Amino acid sequence: MKGVCAIPGDGIGREVIPLAARVLNILAPDIPVSWGEMGLTAYNESGSFLPERTIRCIESYDEILFGAITSPPPYIRDYRSPLLIIRKKFQLYANVRPVERLLSDLPEMDVVIIRENTEGLYSGIEYLEQDGKRYVTERVLTDSGMKRIIRFALDYAKRNGRKRITLGHKANVLRESDAAFRDMFYEMAEGSGLEVSDMYIDALAHDLVMHPERFDVILTLNMYGDILSDVAAAVGGG
């Protein structure tokens, strides 16, 4: 159904999402808006961080207008991030974050960060060993997951008139997973007509701060993209 499921969540989300919905109603009054809840506010009200009615709201509409969620108190031991659940359930694997400079006295910047959104260190697989004294988090990547985000990035760049893609990775340390990601990237980019390159993610972060004008599209994995997009937002004046 054409429409929007609005989810304020917690914190600043409860301020900005109702205002955004008001603006949407003024600009496009024919687009219906339904409301859902998610996060700590939802948990305090219903005992669930992601109520079933919110899942139904998401399933029923084309778009989600989402605010923010607050990390739960440490005594809630069975917590699973509702954002990770939604990403996996609805296969929201491509996180697209465009950043432009906000002030004219900042360096030139017009970059799009494309982040894989369902795998990697945020796969949600964590457990304890050695009587709770050893903490294990599994970082899981798959051929299919890496290939689809590479394909998405290549298609995005061509559709939007972008010229270059820089792949961010750490293949010098993660010599199986990240090396496979890098090799797939070059194989799939062959013949695309795009200028492609790769950088270690730490060097990429440095150059993004020092020379943001050098970048066009950046493609990277889940946790790298989470951090790098916040760096880019700060460089752009956010």
Side-chain angles (χ1 to χ4, degrees):
M1 177 180 178
K2 185 175 177 60
V4 174
C5 177
I7 306 173
D10 305 314
I12 191 66
R14 306 200 73 78
E15 297 181 39
V16 299
I17 296 304
L19 292 175
R22 284 175 58 189
V23 172
L24 178 63
N25 183 61
I26 294 169
L27 297 176
D30 57 323
I31 296 179
V33 176
S34 186
W35 294 85
E37 285 292 355
M38 184 168 71
L40 191 58
T41 301
Y43 180 83
N44 291 334
E45 292 178 353
S46 67
S48 172
F49 287 95
L50 182 58
E52 184 59 34
R53 57 188 171 85
T54 301
I55 292 290
R56 292 196 299 269
C57 179
I58 295 170
E59 289 174 334
S60 299
Y61 291 91
D62 293 330
E63 312 289 342
I64 305 170
L65 187 61
F66 169 67
I69 54 172
T70 298
S71 297
Y75 61 80
I76 302 178
R77 303 296 299 174
D78 59 346
Y79 175 76
R80 288 185 63 209
S81 169
L83 281 180
L84 293 183
I85 293 171
I86 287 173
R87 289 172 188 169
K88 290 186 176 183
K89 180 177 178 63
F90 295 99
Q91 289 300 296
L92 304 176
Y93 66 90
N95 191 323
V96 181
R97 294 184 167 182
V99 184
E100 298 182 22
R101 66 176 182 178
L102 297 179
L103 301 173
S104 60
D105 59 345
L106 294 173
E108 287 285 347
M109 186 178 195
D110 181 10
V111 61
V112 178
I113 298 174
I114 297 179
R115 161 192 168 194
E116 202 289 320
N117 214 31
T118 61
E119 296 190 337
L121 200 63
Y122 295 170
S123 297
I125 305 172
E126 293 192 283
Y127 50 91
L128 303 178
E129 295 179 342
Q130 298 179 2
D131 297 324
K133 297 180 180 179
R134 177 181 169 90
Y135 308 86
V136 180
T137 299
E138 293 188 9
R139 181 178 184 268
V140 179
L141 301 174
T142 64
D143 279 3
S144 59
M146 289 188 287
K147 287 178 179 176
R148 70 181 179 180
I149 194 64
I150 294 169
R151 187 177 301 110
F152 178 92
L154 295 171
D155 290 345
Y156 178 93
K158 287 186 285 188
R159 286 197 317 270
N160 290 276
R162 297 280 174 165
K163 306 300 182 184
R164 304 185 310 279
I165 300 183
T166 304
L167 183 82
H169 63 86
K170 198 66 177 171
N172 57 327
V173 176
L174 301 169
R175 300 174 70 88
E176 293 293 336
S177 56
D178 279 31
F181 185 51
R182 178 196 59 201
D183 293 346
M184 287 178 188
F185 171 68
Y186 279 112
E187 180 181 343
M188 294 176 66
E190 188 173 352
S192 66
L194 298 167
E195 180 185 331
V196 297
S197 61
D198 70 284
M199 296 180 68
Y200 297 140
I201 197 68
D202 43 357
L204 199 162
H206 170 276
D207 280 10
L208 183 62
V209 172
M210 300 301 295
H211 307 288
E213 74 282 353
R214 294 180 180 177
F215 294 97
D216 191 356
V217 175
I218 296 172
L219 169 63
T220 193
L221 296 169
N222 204 340
M223 188 183 72
Y224 303 150
D226 188 8
I227 298 169
L228 198 66
S229 56
D230 285 352
V231 171
V235 173

